[in-house]
Amino acid sequence: MSVFDELVGQRKVVELLRDAVTGTGMTHAWLFTGPPGSGRSVAARAFAAALQCTASEPGCGVCAGCHTVLAGTHADVEFVRPQGLSLGVREARELVGRAALAPSGRRWHIIVIEDADRLTEGAANVLLKAIEEPTPRTVWLLCVPSAEDLVVTIRSRCRVVALRTPPTDAVAAVLVSRDGVEPALAEFAARAAAGHVGRAKRLATDAVARERRTSVLRIPPSLTDIGACLSAADVLVKAVTDEAAEHTSSLDEAETASLKEAFGEGGTATGLGRGQSGSAVTRGAARAAASALKELEGRQKSRATRAARDALDRALTDLAGFYRDVLVLQLGAGVDIANADHAQTITSLANSSPAESTLRRLDAILACRTLLDANANQLLAVESLMLSLRAG
Ligand SMILES: [Zn+2]
C-alpha cells in the first residue's frame, strides 16, 4: 500500500514525486497540471503525505504522518479549496502569513491550493512574493488545469508536474479493485467518463448520477423545433440548479446555525455581553454578529453559484462527449465511442448530418462555456446553445 495508489495511470508522475521526497529535485513550489479528473489534487495530497511520512519507504500510507495528511488533519499541511468563484487578496494575505510559520513538526509546512486558477490577479501577486522569497521549510503545491492558467511569474518559479488523461482500462481496473464495482459497470463508467476518475467513480456507484447523464444525452435528438430547444434549456438549467442546491443547502444550514450559536441566537452575544443588556458591548456584539452573518451569506451565495456552474459544466461535458462520438463515426476514426449505450442515436445523427455540422455543434458548446465563464445568464446561454445545436 502507498499514498500514490489513488493516482490512476500516472506512473511517471509517481516516480518523479518519489524521487523528490527522497531528495532528488525537491523544491519549494510545485504546479500540478492536468485535465479535469486526472487527479491533480490527489497527486498533490499524496505528495504532501509522502513528505510528512515517517516510514523508511516514504508514502507508506499507514504511519501517523501519511494518515493525518490524507485525513486532512495534519498540523503542518493546509488544504485550500476556493469554494466561491475566486480567491481574493485578503484570503491570500492570511494564507501567506500562516505559510511563513515554521512547521510544528520537523519536516515541512505544506500549503495545497486546489483550483489555484481561481486566484484573483491581486491574490496571485501576494502569493508571488511568498514564492519569490520562500521560507526555508515551506512548500507550496498549486493545482491548475494547465500551466497557462497561472500568471507566468508564478509559473516560472514552480516545478511542473503534468498529469495525463488516464487510460480507460486503468480507470476501470481501479473501480473494480478499489471500489468493488462489477467489471461490466466499471468498464461502462470508465468509458463514459472519458478518463475523468472521479466522474467514473460517481457514474459507477451513484444511480442518480447515471440518470442525470442519461437525461443530458437524450437532449440532442429531442431538439426538433424552437419550442423543444427552449424547453430543453429550461429543464437542464433547473436540473443543475437543483443538483447544486442539494449539495450546498445542508452545508449552508450547518454554517449559519453554528455562527448564530457562536454569537448567541438573535445576535445578543450571550457569550460576550451576558448581563449587560442594552450596553455598548451588547450593541457592538450585535452589529458584529449581523456583519458576520452577512459575510457568511455572501460566501454561501458565491459557493451556490459555483456549484451550479460546476453542475452545468458536467452536463456540457456529457453533451460534448455525445457530439465527439458522432464525429468519431463520421470521420471513421476507428476508435471506440465513449457513450456506447447511446450508440443508436449517435449513429443515426452521424448518418444524417455532415461532419461540419458536428464541428459547429462542438464549437457552440465551447462558446457556451466561454459565456458562462464570463458570468453570462445561465438560461440565456443554454437557450442559445440549444438553438445552435438544433441548427447544426
Ligand atoms: Zn507514511
Side-chain angles (χ1 to χ4, degrees):
M1 157 151 197
S2 144
V3 290
F4 294 108
D5 290 352
E6 292 273 303
L7 264 179
V8 181
Q10 313 288 349
R11 195 174 49 83
K12 282 201 175 131
V13 164
V14 172
E15 274 171 23
L16 184 153
L17 295 176
R18 277 189 200 278
D19 286 349
V21 174
T22 50
T24 317
M26 185 56 195
T27 182
H28 65 276
W30 294 76
L31 198 55
F32 289 81
T33 69
S38 57
R40 300 183 294 259
S41 52
V42 175
R45 194 178 52 198
F47 185 42
L51 285 171
Q52 305 290 10
C53 179
T54 51
S56 52
E57 179 78 4
C60 69
V62 289
C63 74
C66 283
H67 191 76
T68 50
V69 174
L70 295 181
T73 55
H74 194 291
D76 292 329
V77 180
E78 180 174 354
F79 293 95
V80 181
R81 296 185 185 93
Q83 298 210 320
L85 295 171
S86 62
L87 192 149
V89 172
R90 201 186 67 184
E91 284 162 289
R93 286 216 181 98
E94 289 169 1
L95 191 60
V96 165
R98 288 197 297 278
L101 303 173
S104 58
R106 273 178 300 171
R107 292 163 183 272
W108 307 96
H109 188 170
I110 303 171
I111 315 283
V112 183
I113 306 186
E114 298 179 11
D115 299 326
D117 49 320
R118 290 182 201 265
L119 289 165
T120 62
E121 203 183 323
N125 283 329
V126 171
L127 202 66
L128 175 63
K129 286 210 187 71
I131 291 176
E132 274 177 334
E133 294 155 23
T135 321
R137 308 301 291 171
T138 301
V139 182
W140 293 88
L141 309 182
L142 311 179
C143 308
V144 285
S146 73
E148 287 69 37
D149 293 323
L150 264 186
V151 288
V152 66
T153 39
I154 291 187
R155 203 195 312 162
S156 63
R157 283 172 177 81
C158 294
R159 185 160 181 211
V160 177
V161 179
L163 285 91
R164 58 172 192 154
T165 300
T168 304
D169 50 355
V171 177
V174 85
L175 291 177
V176 172
S177 64
R178 182 190 65 191
D179 304 313
V181 175
E182 289 293 320
L185 182 56
E187 170 70 24
F188 152 78
R191 270 175 74 176
H196 190 304
V197 182
R199 173 94 179 119
K201 181 177 174 182
R202 205 168 321 133
L203 285 176
T205 55
D206 179 357
V208 176
R210 287 198 291 277
E211 270 165 37
R212 284 193 180 118
R213 167 182 169 273
T214 303
S215 52
V216 168
L217 295 179
R218 281 197 186 127
I219 291 175
S222 78
L223 304 174
T224 48
D225 56 36
I226 293 176
C229 291
L230 299 183
S231 129
D234 196 47
V235 170
L236 179 58
V237 169
K238 193 173 177 309
V240 298
T241 310
D242 289 351
E243 186 185 342
E246 230 171 76
H247 171 67
T248 56
S249 63
S250 54
L251 286 172
D252 289 356
E253 277 168 30
E255 284 170 355
T256 307
S258 77
L259 185 75
K260 283 188 172 158
E261 198 187 314
F263 277 100
E265 188 69 38
T268 51
T270 44
L272 295 171
R274 194 187 301 270
Q276 300 180 43
S277 180
S279 72
V281 173
T282 311
R283 283 197 301 276
R287 267 201 303 278
S291 103
L293 194 61
K294 201 168 164 223
E295 194 191 312
L296 176 66
E297 281 165 2
R299 279 207 308 275
Q300 289 174 339
K301 194 163 171 246
S302 168
R303 180 172 64 197
T305 307
R306 168 158 178 210
R309 194 176 294 175
D310 287 349
L312 184 53
D313 203 59
R314 280 193 290 278
L316 293 181
T317 305
D318 284 342
L319 265 184
F322 178 93
Y323 289 109
R324 210 178 306 114
D325 282 346
V326 172
L327 195 62
V328 160
L329 296 185
Q330 287 172 328
L331 300 180
V335 286
D336 287 343
I337 59 170
N339 302 292
D341 52 333
H342 291 257
Q344 211 174 351
T345 41
I346 289 167
T347 311
S348 98
L349 185 59
N351 293 336
S352 63
S353 65
E356 290 74 25
S357 291
T358 312
L359 285 171
R360 277 196 294 274
R361 288 173 168 132
L362 283 163
D363 273 347
I365 296 173
L366 213 62
C368 180
R369 280 218 165 106
T370 311
L371 275 176
L372 293 169
D373 278 343
N375 281 327
N377 177 293
Q378 279 197 339
L379 185 59
L380 291 181
V382 175
E383 281 176 354
S384 149
L385 170 64
M386 293 305 163
L387 294 169
S388 305
L389 292 180
R390 173 174 174 258

